[in-house]
Amino acid sequence: MRSARLSRVALFTVLLLTVGTTCTSSGGRPGEAARPGAASAGDALFPALGNRGYDVAHYALTLDYVPETNELTGTAVITARAEQPLSRFSLDLAGLSVRDASIGGTDAEVSRKKNKLTLTPAHPLRTGATFTTTIHYSGTPKMITDAGGGVEGWIETDDGAAALGEPTGSMTWFPGNHHPSDKALYDITVTVPEDYTAISNGELTGMRHKGSRTTWRWHMGEPMAGYVATVVVGSFDISTTTTTRGLPVYIAIDPDEVQDSPGMTELIPEIIDWASSRFGRYPFAGTGAIVDHLPDLEYALETQTKPYFEKAPDETLVVHELAHQWFGNSVTPSSWQDMWLNEGFATYAEWLWQEDQGDTTADEIFEAFYDGTHPESEGIWDFPPARPPSAGQVSDSPVYGRGAMALHRLRETVGDRHFFAILKTWTKRHRFGNVHTSQFIELCEKESGMDLTGLFETWIYSKEKPNLA
Ligand code: TRP
Ligand code: ZN
């Protein structure tokens, strides 16, 4: 009894000492036993996604891609903080093979099951410890058909590839905590044959030729959710400019789409300037767009700083994807259930743009959605926008159209002055953070001084088509 207790104390001391040498550590309840981090972020719609027990601060991804064979070789260096005493932890990774992994420079035990990569450090990690995990991996990255029927993940194009990660596709090209509640900074370095362009999020910080290959270095210096991380490889015409406030703009257009994309270099800064006046300061250090040629994809994605378009986009789609930089990318839902905070807002941004351009008022668009004459209004009463019933429905029309209608009703109820103040406070208060719908409702009530329970109950939580009294 006594000796057993003694040896446990001795063991604990040894663990503390060993971990202390490889990691900076602080806090943690003394004596709390190390245990595995949960292999789920607890998302109601996507329970298999994400991991707990740690919080990623930074991903350094060094990738080598051969377009001819679609082979990817990667090193992921992930800096994270243990949020509990960790005996082991998991990361999301689909396909690819892991050669080895180390934590704090010491080999870690690697195991794979479904889309989880589990690493066991040589010694448990203490709460508060910052640790660096290095993973070497390679293979042919795969495409995923998601629950909604869309294609995502690593997608080959006619002249390269595009990595698209909403809602789960980022796990096909790098191991990580792929739930939107764990955002991090990124440095993404991609080596491709010299006649290819490799684009990613953030700023281009370097380009180096070596032999017949070119290395492109991209730095994403503000927090990013994994689902809007991207790498796009192909042939591109590059143009750069700045917004009125001097924000760098980087635009890449596939030669096959150049003819159909006139004026992108003027349009992007114009939209950013307009959106900044409506939603508050643009959150990131740069902006732009990637116009690829992948027409079968049939969707665009708000990849951070440079939204991805599968073909030459029309103006309102550019507005939509750039609006996501504020709503979705900077202010990110804590769970996929709250997707309307992305799509309802980006859709309403389209209505506001059209109104400010003098085309049609937001009210006219609202009416066309309400009476079903708007082409995007199909199916908008199928379920309440803040309650998508399944994973396959997070990108369905109620989340977009009826979400936007809810914002329009809010605007009518509180008036323009309060409405735009709410949008600006929302983007400022939660810049680079994660949010729940309840926080939005609270803000609206505080700003307007009104009880808005009924309004939100009717427009985002109830199934029935509301009466317009
Ligand atoms: N977010 C994209 C947009 O608004 C659409 C989209 C693409 C999407 N793939 C998705 C939404 C998967 C939800 C889930 O343009
Ligand atoms: Zn959208």
Side-chain angles (χ1 to χ4, degrees):
M1 181 82 177
R2 193 185 154 89
S3 63
R5 199 164 129 226
L6 257 182
S7 66
R8 217 175 297 144
V9 170
L11 180 67
F12 181 64
T13 313
V14 170
L15 290 182
L16 272 185
L17 287 173
T18 13
V19 173
T21 54
T22 48
C23 314
T24 53
S25 54
S26 63
R29 274 177 284 143
E32 198 185 345
R35 58 189 193 279
S40 165
D43 195 288
L45 294 175
F46 293 86
L49 210 58
N51 310 278
R52 277 184 178 157
Y54 64 92
D55 180 6
V56 179
H58 184 257
Y59 293 91
L61 307 176
T62 306
L63 309 173
D64 187 290
Y65 184 60
V66 183
E68 290 81 2
T69 57
N70 193 27
E71 273 175 295
L72 183 72
T73 306
T75 302
V77 179
I78 303 171
T79 308
R81 181 184 175 278
E83 293 185 314
Q84 64 169 65
L86 277 173
S87 57
R88 60 172 187 263
F89 61 91
S90 54
L91 299 146
D92 302 305
L93 182 67
L96 301 168
S97 56
V98 172
R99 196 185 75 204
D100 57 51
S102 63
I103 298 167
T106 306
D107 282 356
E109 190 189 305
V110 173
S111 77
R112 303 279 309 263
K113 197 179 173 189
K114 292 191 177 155
N115 294 336
K116 296 292 179 190
L117 161 67
T118 301
L119 302 181
T120 306
H123 308 287
L125 302 162
R126 276 191 77 198
T127 305
T130 296
F131 61 99
T132 300
T133 302
T134 303
I135 300 159
H136 294 110
Y137 61 98
S138 64
T140 302
K142 61 180 189 177
M143 260 172 22
I144 294 180
T145 301
D146 61 40
V151 172
E152 52 162 342
W154 189 272
I155 304 167
E156 279 192 89
T157 62
D158 57 1
D159 62 353
L164 302 171
E166 189 173 34
T168 67
S170 49
M171 64 168 88
T172 65
W173 60 281
F174 70 98
N177 193 13
H178 292 301
H179 187 265
S181 56
D182 188 0
K183 302 204 284 187
L185 310 186
Y186 285 69
D187 280 279
I188 301 177
T189 299
V190 191
T191 301
V192 289
E194 62 185 347
D195 44 338
Y196 288 82
T197 300
I199 309 160
S200 186
N201 313 91
E203 309 314 299
L204 183 63
T205 57
M207 246 180 93
R208 236 188 36 216
H209 298 273
K210 199 178 168 195
S212 59
R213 318 208 82 215
T214 308
T215 299
W216 300 67
R217 290 178 186 281
W218 294 90
H219 173 66
M220 183 66 243
E222 298 87 25
M224 176 163 77
Y227 77 91
V228 281
T230 192
V231 164
V232 180
V233 175
S235 176
F236 288 98
D237 289 1
I238 307 295
S239 57
T240 58
T241 182
T242 53
T243 65
T244 311
R245 289 186 200 166
L247 189 74
V249 181
Y250 187 101
I251 299 167
I253 306 182
D254 188 307
D256 293 342
E257 299 291 337
V258 165
Q259 273 224 316
D260 295 332
S261 316
M264 280 294 271
T265 351
E266 290 74 41
L267 182 63
I268 302 269
E270 187 189 349
I271 294 171
I272 293 291
D273 288 344
W274 168 81
S276 306
S277 75
R278 282 306 199 191
F279 312 140
R281 177 163 85 73
Y282 178 80
F284 307 118
T287 189
I290 303 166
V291 182
D292 204 352
H293 179 71
L294 186 55
D296 290 347
L297 185 71
E298 291 175 339
Y299 68 79
L301 185 63
E302 62 268 28
T303 43
Q304 192 150 305
T305 70
K306 290 183 279 302
Y308 178 89
F309 300 96
E310 83 289 9
K311 59 171 193 260
D314 61 27
E315 195 175 285
T316 50
L317 185 61
V318 181
V319 171
H320 180 105
E321 304 306 339
L322 289 176
H324 273 309
Q325 306 306 312
W326 284 261
F327 306 108
N329 296 4
S330 171
V331 181
T332 308
S334 297
S335 81
W336 286 110
Q337 197 89 46
D338 280 340
M339 182 66 147
W340 86 281
L341 295 173
N342 287 10
E343 302 304 347
F345 285 59
T347 303
Y348 198 60
E350 297 176 48
W351 301 10
L352 288 173
W353 167 265
Q354 285 165 278
E355 176 167 307
D356 286 352
Q357 294 291 108
D359 297 342
T360 26
T361 64
D363 204 52
E364 286 163 344
I365 304 172
F366 176 94
E367 290 299 333
F369 269 82
Y370 189 81
D371 64 26
T373 53
H374 195 285
E376 288 158 30
S377 66
E378 206 188 317
I380 56 168
W381 311 111
D382 288 356
F383 60 85
R387 293 218 168 103
S390 73
Q393 286 161 294
V394 292
S395 57
D396 284 2
S397 65
V399 178
Y400 287 70
R402 195 173 160 189
M405 293 177 86
L407 289 173
H408 188 67
R409 290 300 285 182
L410 171 69
R411 180 182 169 195
E412 288 187 326
T413 306
V414 302
D416 275 16
R417 193 172 59 82
H418 284 314
F419 179 74
F420 289 105
I422 287 165
L423 294 188
K424 284 186 173 166
T425 304
W426 183 243
T427 60
K428 189 174 179 192
R429 180 175 298 168
H430 300 290
R431 180 174 299 149
F432 306 145
N434 286 97
V435 287
H436 292 285
T437 295
S438 60
Q439 291 169 291
F440 183 68
I441 298 174
E442 259 168 52
L443 167 63
C444 294
E445 294 191 329
K446 248 219 167 90
E447 167 65 31
S448 66
M450 297 169 80
D451 176 0
L452 299 167
T453 325
L455 177 104
F456 284 105
E457 188 55 39
T458 303
W459 285 94
I460 68 170
Y461 290 124
S462 308
K463 187 179 186 311
E464 297 71 35
K465 178 175 177 174
N467 286 316
L468 292 179

